[in-house]
DNA sequence: CGCCTCATTGAAGAGTATCAAAAACTGTGG
DNA sequence: CCACAGTTTTTGATACTCTTCAATGAGGCG
């Protein structure tokens, strides 16, 4: 009950207070839409809120629509045979999931968990299909996004296929530096989206190995671990050479 | 020169001799098209032939169109940091690649090599985009195929994330059994699409490890290696248990 | 049938996983 | 602002598995 009212508040609030900050404006898929088309979508959106650590969808779920991240961060993962978490994607604002449900009536193929407080906008199936008919350009956008996702997965596989652990960790650090880093005069400060264990589950090793390798990079003066949630990269070139 | 005439012969031959066996009829993307639409496509197709071991496209290539496999098998791979091959996909009849070029003007992100004599049909970019306008249902089909590809990559990552090598090899054998296996009274005979080294490059280990593990599975009476190109699976359930 | 490629097998070595314990961090409450 | 408790991370020692290198063996194609 409480959630429902909260959701409606959220929706209203967005519409009135900051039109240019609502889900649809942030989502690449809808970036080409005319304002009136955009408004139609906004009408259809249902919003939900998840706390850090809360599961958003589970593998096998039949979703009622497309889930779009309005704010927050989400990890998507599967379990390996040994019941270890294998992270597949890190989703952020503007990313979506549940597209397989939408396009081929398939349940989601991974678990999705909020890494921090996260707000999700849901566009119901039927609404979305009507939208597709009216604005076919959206289908191009979706294909685009699917290709980006494929790119990501291919690169992840390439990374997991390299034996040299230093290179694998360097690759992750570079990826995070690009996405979550801010330049400072003496280096790049990266606000890490994942814990050490999370990183481990992303590249398929144990957390201890991550610890050891990061300490080594720190000893070499290439990075500095600032608490548990930030890493400062002093020598990006050295990382890239490790990576090459 | 020789190649060109050969290509044209191929194209003609298909049109005349076996209309229902031409590329377009085998390709899921085009399965919903009307005969006249199909004919339009056929006009546009250019066909090419590749020998076993020949490179079809290289990473970074700007392709002139969508490459559809008319017959044969193709492996798509990237190189890891250590210059090891990491196989991403095994393509067969009806599969396509070059979609990133088509949809987002990106060069191909992997190398593709013919595993056996392979015939490729190329649909030029412009033709394809015209086709998309006339038959928008194709865009659904493409999204569908992209989702299938994403599924495959996600599963591959999940597999590469499992530490237990037996489980990883079992998973591959089961995959191959489904795709390339034929039932016999005492088991499933699988005609392997990859050499031992190929399997190794698919799951990210060395060929020696594959050899040892397969020998072990053979000693246990679960499989039998029939020459280098076939494997007979006696006990699929045992494999699946290994896998679980 | 023979050559060349691919696959197997062995022994040594490198590296990560594992288990256990200590240390550091985070954020909550006084 | 500090102390505390729970969680996360680090560090150490050991065991195990895969890789590596090298040599032998088998397979398949002309």
């Amino acid at each position: 009950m409480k959630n429902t009212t909260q959701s409606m508040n959220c929706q209203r609030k967005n519409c009135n207070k900051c039109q240019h900050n609502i889900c649809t404006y942030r989502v690449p898929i809808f970036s080409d839409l005319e304002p009136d088309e955009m408004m139609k979508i906004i009408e259809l959106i249902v919003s939900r809120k998840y706390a850090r650590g809360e599961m958003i969808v589970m593998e096998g779920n039949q979703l009622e629509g497309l889930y779009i991240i309005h704010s927050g961060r989400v990890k998507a993962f599967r379990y390996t045979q040994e019941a270890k978490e294998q992270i597949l994607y890190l989703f952020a604002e503007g990313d979506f999931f549940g597209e397989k449900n939408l396009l081929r009536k398939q349940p989601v193929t991974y678990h999705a968990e909020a890494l921090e407080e996260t707000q999700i906008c849901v566009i119901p199936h039927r609404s979305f299909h009507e939208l597709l008919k009216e604005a076919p350009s959206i289908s191009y956008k979706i294909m685009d996004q699917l290709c980006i996702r494929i790119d990501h997965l291919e690169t992840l596989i390439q990374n997991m296929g390299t034996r040299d652990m230093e290179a694998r960790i360097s690759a992750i650090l570079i990826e995070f530096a690009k996405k979550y880093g801010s330049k400072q005069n003496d280096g790049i400060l990266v606000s890490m989206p994942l814990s050490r264990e999370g990183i481990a589950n992303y590249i398929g090793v144990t957390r201890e190995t991550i610890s050891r390798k990061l300490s080594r990079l720190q000893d070499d003066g290439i990075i500095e671990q600032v608490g548990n949630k930030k890493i400062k990269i002093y020598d990006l070139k050295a990382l890239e050479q490790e990576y090459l």
Side-chain angles (χ1 to χ4, degrees), chain A:
Chain A
M1 282 304 128
K2 196 186 166 195
N3 269 330
T4 313
T5 36
Q6 194 173 42
S7 299
M8 305 217 21
N9 285 340
C10 153
Q11 191 183 335
R12 290 262 164 62
K13 194 177 71 190
N14 285 325
C15 292
N16 300 332
K17 286 199 184 167
C18 49
Q19 283 225 358
H20 295 281
N21 213 12
I22 199 167
C23 306
T24 49
Y25 285 91
R26 302 185 187 182
V27 176
I29 294 180
F30 300 129
S31 59
D32 279 353
L33 292 186
E34 300 297 325
D36 59 321
E37 290 176 318
M38 196 79 88
M39 282 316 287
K40 278 188 206 159
I41 299 176
I42 290 169
E43 301 287 323
L44 304 167
I45 285 175
V46 179
S47 177
R48 287 177 195 161
K49 215 170 167 183
Y50 298 88
R52 172 192 155 97
E54 203 175 341
M55 294 295 286
I56 300 171
V57 301
M58 306 262 286
E59 192 175 345
N61 279 10
Q62 290 284 356
L63 302 188
E64 69 272 33
L66 192 70
Y67 280 51
I68 298 173
I69 298 175
H70 176 266
S71 67
R73 287 175 183 171
V74 173
K75 73 174 172 187
F77 61 94
R78 287 192 186 176
Y79 288 109
T80 67
Q81 258 63 54
E82 302 106 336
K84 253 194 3 162
E85 226 178 83
Q86 174 61 52
I87 295 179
L88 297 171
Y89 308 98
L90 289 179
F91 292 137
E93 196 177 299
D95 288 325
F96 60 85
F97 51 92
E99 72 284 349
K100 284 184 203 130
N101 245 304
L102 209 65
L103 303 170
R104 45 195 332 253
K105 290 172 199 152
Q106 256 195 13
V108 275
T109 51
Y110 43 73
H111 304 272
E113 183 188 318
L115 289 170
E116 55 192 63
E117 181 160 303
T118 295
Q119 229 167 316
I120 300 279
C121 296
V122 181
I123 303 185
H125 277 171
R126 219 201 304 177
S127 315
F128 194 83
H129 279 116
E130 284 166 14
L131 191 67
L132 264 183
K133 277 181 202 158
E134 289 178 38
S137 78
I138 289 179
S139 68
Y140 281 95
K141 295 279 180 181
I142 291 179
M143 287 191 257
D144 220 62
Q145 288 297 316
L146 293 179
C147 284
I148 290 173
R149 204 157 292 184
I150 287 173
D151 260 352
H152 163 74
L153 293 173
E154 287 175 358
T155 304
L156 184 53
I157 290 168
Q158 181 187 30
N159 191 27
M160 291 184 73
T162 77
R163 204 147 308 299
D164 179 8
M165 197 55 59
E166 268 83 14
R168 280 161 73 171
I169 292 178
S170 296
I172 292 287
L173 286 178
I174 292 167
E175 181 190 327
F176 286 170
K178 279 183 193 155
K179 288 190 190 164
Y180 312 108
S182 62
K183 271 179 192 160
Q184 304 201 326
N185 44 12
D186 57 342
I188 304 170
L189 187 64
V190 185
S191 120
M192 302 294 285
L194 292 174
S195 66
R196 301 289 182 268
E197 181 162 22
I199 300 172
N201 292 339
Y202 198 18
I203 65 177
V205 293
T206 59
R207 58 173 173 277
E208 291 97 331
T209 300
I210 298 291
S211 256
R212 279 184 252 266
K213 296 300 178 188
L214 286 181
S215 297
R216 199 173 173 289
L217 284 173
Q218 186 168 252
D219 291 345
D220 293 352
I222 297 173
I223 67 167
E224 185 191 341
Q225 306 185 58
V226 185
N228 285 338
K229 308 214 154 172
K230 287 180 183 174
I231 286 184
K232 189 153 194 174
I233 298 177
Y234 288 118
D235 194 348
L236 188 65
K237 300 225 165 148
L239 272 188
E240 282 166 347
Q241 278 183 346
E242 190 74 61
Y243 179 63
L244 280 172

